């Protein structure tokens, strides 16, 4: 059991590995170690092949919450409003919605 003063990243790694352990068929064969240092404290984890593979998969599937995708024009990053931070282009469904709205508005102004 983890004490309450254990840093969150260390606690997360402990919980991650504990969740994998019941399914590890070869728990006695470590293939690597990972040392986490948070402030003055450090903790070394021994990972089996299954745990190392699971960690790689978990890290590769992570998407930052601020990642709203890439611009279809220049490839830059989109902001939360789907506007490119590099070229300013609106992208995706938001761009289509704005373009349709502008088309309707422009058409009404002509009448």
């Amino acid at each position: 059991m983890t004490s309450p003063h254990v840093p969150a990243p260390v606690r997360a790694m402990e919980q991650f590995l504990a969740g994998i352990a019941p399914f590890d068929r070869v728990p006695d064969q470590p293939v690597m170690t990972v040392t986490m240092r948070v402030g003055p404290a450090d903790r070394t984890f021994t990972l089996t092949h299954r745990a190392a593979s699971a960690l790689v998969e978990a890290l590769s599937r992570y998407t930052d919450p601020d990642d709203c995708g890439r611009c279809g024009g220049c490839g830059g990053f989109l902001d939360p409003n789907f506007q490119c931070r590099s070229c300013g282009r609106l992208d995706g469904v938001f761009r289509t919605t704005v373009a349709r709205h502008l088309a309707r508005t422009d058409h009404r102004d002509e009448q």
Side-chain angles (χ1 to χ4, degrees), residues 60-104:
S60 64
R61 286 184 178 206
Y62 175 79
T63 302
D64 191 284
D66 291 333
D67 183 354
C68 298
R70 295 296 194 116
C71 174
C74 74
F77 289 100
L78 301 177
D79 70 11
N81 295 316
F82 300 104
Q83 184 169 12
C84 179
R85 295 175 183 168
S86 298
C87 71
R89 176 180 187 245
L90 292 175
D91 208 86
V93 175
F94 184 67
R95 176 178 178 247
T96 304
T97 303
V98 169
R100 286 181 184 159
H101 175 73
L102 288 173
R104 282 193 309 269

Side-chain angles (χ1 to χ4, degrees), residues 9-56:
V10 173
R11 187 171 32 256
M13 180 65 97
E14 289 172 344
Q15 292 170 348
F16 178 76
L17 295 174
I20 296 166
F23 307 103
D24 206 339
R25 292 181 197 92
V26 192
D28 299 332
Q29 297 180 6
V31 295
M32 67 179 285
T33 59
V34 173
T35 300
M36 298 179 78
R37 226 171 243 135
V38 181
D42 64 26
R43 172 81 194 274
T44 300
F45 298 94
T46 302
L47 280 64
T48 62
H49 178 73
R50 183 182 193 100
S53 296
L55 182 60
V56 167

